[in-house]
Amino acid sequence: MRHELAIMFWRGLVLFLVLEAMLVPAVLYWPEFREVLPVIVKIAPSAVLKQLFGGLQMNDDGGAAGYVLAQQYFKACNTMGVAAAALFGMGAIAGEAQRGTLEIWLARPIPRRRLLLERWAMGALSIAWPVFLSSATIPLLGQRIGEHFSQSALLWCSAYQSLFLVALYSLTVLLSTLFNHPVRIAVFVLFGSILQFALYLVQNLTEYSLFRLVDVTRFGRVYELRAFEWPFALPLVVLLVGSLAGALFAIQRRTP
Amino acid sequence: MPIQSAPGEIKARAVSRSFGAKQALSQIDLDLGPGGIVGLLGPNGSGKSTLLRVLTGLVRLDQGEVSLDGEQLAGDGTNVRKRCTYSPGEIGLYGEMRAGTHLDWLLRGRPREARAHARRIASELELPLKARVRSFSHGMKRQLLFAAAMGPSVRVRILDEISEGLDPSKRGAVLERMVADARSGTTILLSSHHLGEVESVCQRYMFLSGGKILRDEDAAHFRDRARRLVHLEFPALDQAARRALETWDAALGVRECKLTGTRCVIELKEPDPRPLLAALAARTSLPAPREVRFGELSLAELYRDLYGVEAV
């Protein structure tokens, strides 16, 4: 367990540093960006991008919250977080099989479901805590540029973002429980995510993209409501619970 | 009625397992222990490792029942693995861990005393517990697995290729510890390709082939049979000579005669070869044997007879 905790900490730390490195310059750039935002909305080449940039101005704070939500969640967490979900999840079981340690991992007198749950939980935490912690620094960074951001609203946004990323991570863990090649699993998940993002940017297909569930509009709503919008959160909960249940079923039948 | 085992026993009934089209185990029955070391022998792919994994619940059964140390194999086999220790044949360890930490990791789910005992064993085997496992040789990794398998106080140990890759002195130390453990009442199921060590420590030999038990022989019975065997090696044998060798007078006390190439192994009813040797000398139609041996049978010879290939 100590081994797993250490892995969780180090992986999470790397993700946190990456997210923070993307967040700090983005927040500090806001005053300059605010000046050009109306022009950007005007010249945006497609309706999807117009909607995306227009969405930044949804609050009555001149767009600061929308801008920060877009930078932290839609841009940083949706790219780096998805990569982390694929990379952390791919080796959960398939990695053990590939390095030849699956047999000793399973040979201990500990129920397989417990082993998998522990591993899943550590991976989920290593994705979630960097999202929460880096988001918690937004109000502090906001003070540097004279903007106020609600800590509790950001907590809700972080929880929603974590739900999305952990759902994707759970799907990767399921694939890792079923198959033996971690790199192929990661490539599959990453390419699937890129495809989904590409769909998001196509005007007529944007509604069919998974990223519709975690775009600026959704985070704006969660920020305003300080609660989940369940019609959008529920599919993520179903994906998470379904993938985890599938992985727990598959691990029982897994041959070392 | 589910199968029942007493403390220290391993029982299996009609155990079968296939991987795709390959039948890895077919209708295996086992009644082992309590106490003693049982050698599991067979060529690669004969089903030894699969059998050991099935007994510990690591591989699911397609069919059959297993009971170990009074516990019926069920679910993912955690209940059975609590009653025994298992050391896998394939070495896959976490190189980044220190040996002592790795021992503790391997023994998670066991009592604290098991970890302390395993560390003592590892120290006696002169393993550097503070070193990272990646710096270990193949033999040292094997010893680490051995220490982990011997640490817990259980009545059944299942060891796959436990002495593979060890130098002679370490092999001796490992076998010595196993023998002492078996003397205290532990049942050890040992899979090995090293016939010499199996012959020296096991009280029973089980030969597997194609997922089936080819022969199950008690070591005492094996030695008793060896005392009644006459081995004849001829330079060449024509058809007439072969026929003559296969038809011995019952009065000579011949139980069975087996001809393989120019080699003839005759099993007698009593450990007295004199009537047979006298008759052999009288049969001038037979060529003079190049070699005559009596009262000997090594496990390697039995292995060769069973599988038709030379063993180490």
Side-chain angles (χ1 to χ4, degrees), chain A residues 8 11-12 14-15 83-92 123 126-127 130 169 172-173:
Chain A
M8 186 268 283
R11 281 179 172 178
V14 170
L15 180 59
L87 295 175
F88 297 173
M90 70 177 191
S126 60
I127 291 170
Y169 164 76
T172 316
V173 169

Side-chain angles (χ1 to χ4, degrees), chain B residues 41-82:
Chain B
L41 299 155
N44 292 330
S46 58
K48 301 187 301 295
S49 294
T50 304
L51 177 60
L52 301 187
R53 287 170 176 168
V54 159
L55 294 176
T56 48
L58 286 169
V59 167
R60 288 169 78 91
L61 297 167
D62 287 341
Q63 189 191 320
E65 287 179 276
V66 170
S67 179
L68 188 150
D69 194 36
E71 198 71 41
Q72 178 95 9
L73 178 65
D76 68 2
T78 306
N79 59 336
V80 159
R81 286 196 297 281
K82 280 184 179 159

